[in-house]
Amino acid sequence: MSTVIGINFGNSASSIAVATADGKADIIANQDGERSIPTALAYAGEDEYYGGQALAQLLRNPTNTIIGFRDYLGVPFEKIDPTSAGNGAKPFNLDGKVGYKIKRSEDKEEILTIDEVVSRHLTQLKLSAEDFIGSSIDGVVIGIPTNFNEEQQKALVAASEKAGMKVLQLIKEPSAALLAYTTNVNELAKDKLYVVADFGGLRSDAAVIAVRSGIMTILETAHDYELGGAKIDSALAEYFAKEFEKKFKSNPRNNHKSITKLQAATITTKKTLSNVTTATISIDSLNDGYDFHSTINRMRFDLAARSVASQMTTFVENIVKKAGYDTLDIDEILLVGGTSFVPKIAANLEAVFPESVKIISPATPKAIDPVDLIARGAALQASMIESFDEAEVKEALQPVIVNTPHLTKALGILDAEGKFVQILRSEAATPVRRSIKVAAPKGDALISIYEAERDIKETTVEQAPKEEKEEDDEESDWSDDEDDEPEIIREKIFVPKAKIADLVVKDVSEGATIEITIDINKNNELQVFAREDKPDATVTKVKI
Amino acid sequence: MSTIVLPSANGQSTGATGKFSEPVRRPVEPVGRYFLAHAARSIRGHTWSEYEQLEAAKNAKLVDESEDNGLDLDDEQPEDLLTHDPREWKTADLYATLGLSKYRHKATTEDIRVAYRDAVLKHHPDKKAEKGGIDQDGFFKIVQKAYETLMDPIQRRRFDSVDKNADVEPPVIKSEYDFFEAWGPVFASESRFSKKQPVPQLGDKETAKADVEAFYNFWYKFDSWRTFEFLDEEAPDDSSNRDHKRYIERKNKAARDKKKTDDNKRLLKLVDRAIGEDPRIKMFKQLEKEAKAKRKWDREADSRKAAEEAKAKAEAEAKAKAEAEAKAKADKDGKKKSKEAAKNAKKKNKRAIRGSAKDAGYFGDEGKAAAIDAEIDLLLGSFDDVTLADVAGAITSDAKAALTKAAQELISAGKLPAASIKYFV
Ligand SMILES: Nc1ncnc2c1ncn2[C@@H]1O[C@H](COP(=O)(O)OP(=O)(O)O)[C@@H](O)[C@H]1O
């Protein structure tokens, strides 16, 4: 058996995971104990630093510290967003690609291509994994954003191979995260509609994913490059900068060193506030020789981060809309990425989405850390395909296998009250086979197979009339105006649209159960079978 | 869990009744054991024709990952904007800065985000330095300011309030223009400031009067959210000079209030001018005038008719009265005459009857002449007018028979005692 791992390669942080014997996956911490390893490389003399150690160089050695480079790989210089590089080494145009000029010593400059940078970073991750596992790594599954194009994928595969890790498969980040989550709670086989929302450091990504019979289909994606933890950092840093300025009449924003110090300390404070409700910030000699010591509670933090947090809520609402769904259609929202630790984000989503929508955040019992999900999903996938050879994997990834027909409408039956009962949900990939068991009346039972469409029913509930108010107590009168608004209750209903077939099950005995099976084969032929749930029962069937 | 119960069959029979909707081909995620099982099942003992493979690749519905959002961004920024002093960013055209000059207040936040990303990729100083172009560090600062401002709903309103480039100027007075072509866009543009949305638009020649009236009504009562903070003088943000700060703030507020008042006035004037030039209003006025004239004429026609009728009636009445009087007179005269004539006729008849016996030589009974005359007188006194005339007619042929007959009739009618008649029996 070969040793394979899963890697989450983020712009801000990366993580490594390995599958365990019980079919789950564990995160591997690096030599410094970091589970979420900053995506950073720094050079000082002959030494290369990576992870947190590299990030620490940002203050003293910014031009030789490379950060935020994941999205530069495989992208022409023309198209890159230079702001991702933050306060670190600046990317320059190296024959149309991103390159970095690193000063190894006074007179020695090293030119690094982006491919080399990524390869070195992956090498470091590999070394950490090998160090932990105690054997060499043979293969890796790496998570990629849904919009990673072919060039980017090729470049990533090449960089990984150069680092000595064969890429078994690149899988999409939201699918990896969802695989990890559903595997952990043992819910992959449950038909659900998910939004996977990944709030990272520099960008936010989301995907609407239907899971049907354990098979995932991405129905919609969204990306926002201006939304992420860095935006929260800026808002919080600005809050502290104001406070500092007020206290010392000294502006910490004009000086690279002060900004970097403030940012680093702000991030620490922000992370602390995800766990506790008050945190301190402490910076020696922030600006003009003044030290900065302050405390902040979560309420103030939420206020400072309010605009960013509400943009994140909107971002999730928008992808649901864009996918053509109602918020009521969503079963669960899985929060991914480090920024999802901020409690306000889940709280906002809970406030905006209907109660029926489960928000999976770090606060959810049994939840996996949002920064671990992608690597764990990748590790699970790696362990599943580890025994396949390259040709087999390639064969499984052919369009003729991956691009499968999906039902556009729900299929089901009508019960005795004429209500539609779903057997197959829309977006189910075919071929598919699904059974349900139902009770039947004595005698001949009728099974009507229908195709149905989802509708949202709105019922207006008038508020109970309030007690008449005295004419003169005007003050209290206007304040509760809003409560008088009639409440609108929205619910999801299925409207049967087209009848597909009737099945009559004859001579059903008293108190019998009937099993109904809908089967759609690879030739798109639909068959319905119905039989009493007892040995030797005759099968009634219809073929369409 | 509540159990699902099937209905009883009621004459239905087993069979297909329709088709299910054609499935859509989409890529599934090639992850997890269920996918691997699906792949294994599909692969097992299967070879696909090249055609099948191509079809599967071609006909899949993929998630759209394109980033431009179909946005029509400006190709490039004008030179004076690129060299605009970043300290004076508030006077820069923030929409043009992001290449959104075609959209302005209509741009969605998504549009602004896409545009900003495009601007970052193009104008970030790290990109520009490469090209050895002019130092556009300054312009990138404006790009960032533009993004910050336009993404903040409050700030964006403030900027939109003073975004002159979104204004459509009213036509030059006394120039030649089509009213609707010239004013339609003016109102469309002003509409953006309305608290109430949607805003009624100018319409065209055919717009119904009620709508035109509703339009001007709305615009005369226009409730604008326009606000002028964006043009505030920057108040120093240090506490050392509180008085100065307060002074600036007061000054700003006064300036804002004045601008707001002026703007309301400006709009009122605009509406005044439009309503003054509106050909529909002229037409409605003309129609109104005509209608009024007609109504007046109609109203007067009534009284005119009434007067005529009254006159005719009076005349008719007078005439009728005269005629009636004449008739009455004539009647009276006629009666008198006929009375007299009748009298005369009666006299004549009486005379004729009285004389008839004598003329007939008293029927040979001259000796009884006095008695006969007396008897005739008695008869004459008992005759009514009709009998008188009858008898007068009859005597001319046989006086004695006629008188006898008349006498007998009188007796049988009980008008004369039988004993009184001795001769004419
Ligand atoms: N406990 C925490 N609370 C709040 N923010 C956090 C926490 N941990 C990490 N973050 C933030 O998450 C972001 C990184 O997210 P991550 O998903 O690891 O990165 P990537 O951008 O690489 O996907 C950073 O902005 C970091 O500050």
Side-chain angles (χ1 to χ4, degrees), chain A residues 41-45 61-67 72 77 85 87-95 97-114 116-117 120, chain B residues 126 129-131:
Chain A
L41 287 175
Y43 295 92
N61 188 17
T63 53
N64 295 320
T65 304
I66 310 173
I67 57 167
Y72 292 166
F77 186 85
N87 298 328
K90 287 205 188 318
F92 81 103
N93 190 345
L94 179 61
D95 303 328
K97 281 189 182 183
V98 166
Y100 297 91
K101 292 178 186 143
I102 299 300
K103 250 193 153 56
R104 285 302 190 116
S105 64
E106 269 313 308
D107 51 3
K108 197 170 141 211
E109 193 181 62
E110 185 180 19
I111 302 284
L112 290 178
T113 63
I114 180 66
E116 180 61 24
V117 169
R120 290 186 184 182
Chain B
D126 291 353
E130 281 304 314
K131 291 193 174 154

Side-chain angles (χ1 to χ4, degrees), chain A residues 77-78 80 90 146 169 175 216 221 223-224 381 401-404 406 416 439 444 446 451 500 502 504 522, chain B residues 4-7 9 14-15 17-19 21 24-26 28-30 32 38 46 56 65 113 120-121 126-127:
Chain A
F77 186 85
E78 282 301 300
I80 64 143
K90 287 205 188 318
T146 59
Q169 192 184 353
S175 316
M216 301 176 193
T221 61
H223 314 282
D224 189 335
Q381 180 69 6
I401 291 174
V402 171
N403 293 346
T404 65
H406 285 65
D444 296 351
L446 173 67
E451 208 175 50
I500 311 294
D502 275 334
V504 178
K522 64 180 191 318
Chain B
I4 302 153
V5 182
L6 287 177
T14 298
T17 59
K19 285 202 173 335
S21 305
V24 174
R25 207 176 259 282
R26 293 176 186 276
V28 298
E29 286 306 282
H38 156 78
H46 243 294
E65 289 283 9
R113 209 188 334 265
V120 169
L121 301 196
D126 291 353
K127 287 281 186 73

Side-chain angles (χ1 to χ4, degrees), chain A residues 267-282:
Chain A
I267 291 170
T268 310
T269 307
K270 170 185 80 168
K271 289 183 181 176
T272 309
L273 279 173
S274 294
N275 293 322
V276 294
T277 50
T278 47
T280 55
I281 184 164
S282 214

Side-chain angles (χ1 to χ4, degrees), chain A residues 98-172:
Chain A
V98 166
Y100 297 91
K101 292 178 186 143
I102 299 300
K103 250 193 153 56
R104 285 302 190 116
S105 64
E106 269 313 308
D107 51 3
K108 197 170 141 211
E109 193 181 62
E110 185 180 19
I111 302 284
L112 290 178
T113 63
I114 180 66
D115 305 84
E116 180 61 24
V117 169
V118 172
S119 170
R120 290 186 184 182
H121 174 65
L122 292 175
T123 303
Q124 290 287 5
L125 293 177
K126 175 177 169 251
L127 291 174
S128 294
E130 287 177 344
D131 193 49
F132 178 89
I133 297 169
S135 63
S136 70
I137 306 296
D138 303 300
V140 64
V141 170
I142 309 177
I144 52 168
T146 59
N147 62 346
F148 237 41
N149 64 30
E150 212 137 305
E151 290 307 310
Q152 291 170 292
Q153 296 186 28
K154 263 193 211 147
L156 181 58
V157 169
S160 178
E161 317 251 286
K162 189 153 181 247
M165 280 186 296
K166 204 164 84 69
V167 175
L168 307 176
Q169 192 184 353
L170 297 178
I171 64 175
K172 290 175 180 160

Side-chain angles (χ1 to χ4, degrees), chain A residues 266-544:
Chain A
T266 298
I267 291 170
T268 310
T269 307
K270 170 185 80 168
K271 289 183 181 176
T272 309
L273 279 173
S274 294
N275 293 322
V276 294
T277 50
T278 47
T280 55
I281 184 164
S282 214
I283 308 167
D284 288 341
S285 181
L286 174 54
N287 201 41
D288 297 333
Y290 295 110
D291 297 344
F292 182 53
H293 301 286
S294 182
T295 58
I296 180 170
N297 63 21
R298 198 181 275 166
M299 218 175 70
R300 289 228 168 273
F301 167 75
D302 286 349
L303 215 59
R306 189 169 67 180
S307 149
V308 187
S310 78
Q311 282 180 51
M312 289 174 172
T313 314
T314 310
F315 179 64
V316 178
E317 282 180 290
N318 281 351
I319 189 179
V320 174
K321 234 182 271 162
K322 193 170 143 204
Y325 286 106
D326 190 274
T327 50
L328 281 169
D329 289 318
I330 305 299
D331 295 296
E332 301 190 15
I333 298 173
L334 175 63
L335 293 182
V336 184
T339 300
S340 299
F341 278 114
V342 174
K344 189 72 187 165
I345 292 170
N348 280 355
L349 288 170
E350 260 153 26
V352 162
F353 277 81
E355 253 172 84
S356 61
V357 181
K358 185 173 167 194
I359 316 281
I360 304 142
S361 73
T364 311
K366 287 206 300 184
I368 298 177
D369 268 6
V371 284
D372 294 353
L373 284 163
I374 296 170
R376 299 232 282 200
L380 290 173
Q381 180 69 6
S383 78
M384 277 182 264
I385 60 172
E386 165 265 323
S387 59
F388 294 19
D389 64 35
E390 210 176 318
E392 283 172 320
V393 174
K394 212 175 148 203
E395 204 180 359
L397 297 183
Q398 295 174 89
V400 79
I401 291 174
V402 171
N403 293 346
T404 65
H406 285 65
L407 296 186
T408 59
K409 299 198 174 91
L411 281 171
I413 56 166
L414 294 193
D415 70 7
E417 269 121 49
K419 242 178 69 192
F420 179 79
V421 178
Q422 192 164 240
I423 298 177
L424 283 171
R425 287 176 69 149
S426 66
E427 305 305 347
T430 67
V432 67
R433 185 185 179 97
R434 184 62 70 83
S435 301
I436 57 163
K437 284 182 181 168
V438 297
K442 187 171 151 54
D444 296 351
L446 173 67
I447 301 165
S448 292
I449 305 291
Y450 270 87
E451 208 175 50
E453 277 172 19
R454 191 275 285 136
D455 207 2
I456 301 294
K457 191 173 127 196
E458 294 193 347
T459 333
T460 311
V461 184
E462 294 293 338
Q463 297 289 308
K466 288 218 192 69
E467 283 170 47
E468 283 292 324
K469 291 233 167 67
E470 294 293 317
E471 286 275 13
D472 54 357
D473 81 2
E474 270 169 37
E475 265 172 314
S476 62
D477 226 316
W478 54 270
S479 56
D480 43 23
D481 259 358
E482 265 176 349
D483 297 349
D484 288 336
E485 296 271 308
E487 191 188 351
I488 293 170
I489 295 179
R490 307 177 76 246
E491 57 188 318
K492 191 165 81 169
I493 56 165
F494 283 95
V495 185
K497 289 277 165 169
K499 183 149 93 169
I500 311 294
D502 275 334
L503 283 86
V504 178
V505 185
K506 293 219 152 70
D507 303 323
V508 180
S509 43
E510 179 88 55
T513 301
I514 290 183
E515 185 184 51
I516 304 164
T517 304
I518 296 185
D519 178 283
I520 301 173
N521 68 14
K522 64 180 191 318
N523 298 323
N524 207 23
E525 290 162 340
L526 186 150
Q527 288 191 80
V528 188
F529 307 95
R531 59 187 289 277
E532 229 182 278
D533 196 16
K534 65 180 186 197
D536 308 325
T538 47
V539 175
T540 312
K541 74 172 185 184
V542 164
K543 186 167 169 178
I544 292 140

Side-chain angles (χ1 to χ4, degrees), chain B residues 281-342:
Chain B
I281 297 290
K282 283 193 190 116
M283 183 179 79
F284 295 146
K285 274 199 183 136
Q286 182 60 30
L287 287 178
E288 176 68 13
K289 214 162 119 189
E290 282 167 14
K292 212 165 151 191
K294 186 167 180 300
R295 267 203 309 281
K296 191 171 165 210
W297 205 83
D298 284 351
R299 211 169 40 236
E300 285 172 357
D302 273 356
S303 52
R304 227 175 13 252
K305 199 170 150 202
E308 258 165 33
E309 274 169 7
K311 192 177 156 207
K313 198 174 156 207
E315 275 170 8
E317 275 169 6
K319 195 176 156 203
K321 195 174 161 209
E323 275 168 5
E325 275 168 8
K327 188 167 176 267
K329 189 162 172 269
D331 281 356
K332 217 165 132 192
D333 291 353
K335 260 194 206 139
K336 217 162 137 187
K337 255 186 209 149
S338 61
K339 248 191 193 158
E340 264 166 32

Side-chain angles (χ1 to χ4, degrees), chain B residues 112-308:
Chain B
I112 295 167
R113 209 188 334 265
V114 170
Y116 175 64
R117 181 148 177 88
D118 193 72
V120 169
L121 301 196
K122 270 200 210 135
H123 299 293
H124 193 279
D126 291 353
K127 287 281 186 73
K128 293 290 168 176
E130 281 304 314
K131 291 193 174 154
I134 43 165
D135 175 22
Q136 281 172 351
D137 208 357
F139 182 66
F140 189 65
K141 288 207 176 90
I142 300 178
V143 167
Q144 285 174 303
K145 281 292 182 190
Y147 181 67
E148 270 169 36
T149 306
L150 299 180
M151 283 305 275
D152 177 335
I154 295 173
Q155 289 295 338
R156 188 175 178 193
R157 274 218 149 171
R158 291 179 179 175
F159 177 73
D160 281 341
S161 289
V162 297
D163 181 13
K164 287 201 196 67
N165 292 304
D167 288 344
V168 177
E169 292 299 325
V172 177
I173 296 181
K174 298 231 170 86
S175 64
E176 198 140 307
Y177 52 84
D178 174 88
F179 176 80
F180 299 101
E181 273 172 28
W183 282 98
V186 175
F187 284 102
S189 147
E190 294 289 339
S191 299
R192 68 190 195 273
F193 298 124
S194 177
K195 279 187 192 160
K196 250 184 266 156
Q197 295 284 352
V199 176
Q201 294 299 307
L202 185 62
D204 55 28
K205 288 207 295 297
E206 312 296 332
T207 307
K209 190 176 173 211
D211 293 337
V212 175
E213 279 167 356
F215 170 82
Y216 283 110
N217 254 334
F218 183 94
W219 282 88
Y220 271 124
K221 287 191 212 131
F222 196 85
D223 190 5
S224 163
W225 51 255
R226 207 169 180 185
T227 152
F228 294 90
E229 279 94 341
F230 206 76
L231 306 175
D232 277 0
E233 185 183 328
E234 209 76 54
D237 200 22
D238 67 61
S239 41
S240 62
N241 205 342
R242 267 176 209 279
D243 286 344
H244 181 59
K245 189 177 171 181
R246 231 173 268 146
Y247 165 74
I248 299 272
E249 277 168 0
R250 263 205 309 277
K251 209 172 102 185
N252 278 336
K253 179 161 189 326
R256 281 200 305 261
D257 290 350
K258 175 154 184 352
K259 282 186 192 116
K260 179 81 185 166
T261 316
D262 288 352
D263 186 54
N264 287 341
K265 273 192 206 144
R266 175 194 66 87
L267 186 67
L268 268 186
K269 255 178 145 163
L270 203 85
V271 182
D272 274 342
R273 210 190 123 193
I275 205 168
E277 291 176 13
D278 194 332
R280 295 168 305 186
I281 297 290
K282 283 193 190 116
M283 183 179 79
F284 295 146
K285 274 199 183 136
Q286 182 60 30
L287 287 178
E288 176 68 13
K289 214 162 119 189
E290 282 167 14
K292 212 165 151 191
K294 186 167 180 300
R295 267 203 309 281
K296 191 171 165 210
W297 205 83
D298 284 351
R299 211 169 40 236
E300 285 172 357
D302 273 356
S303 52
R304 227 175 13 252
K305 199 170 150 202
E308 258 165 33

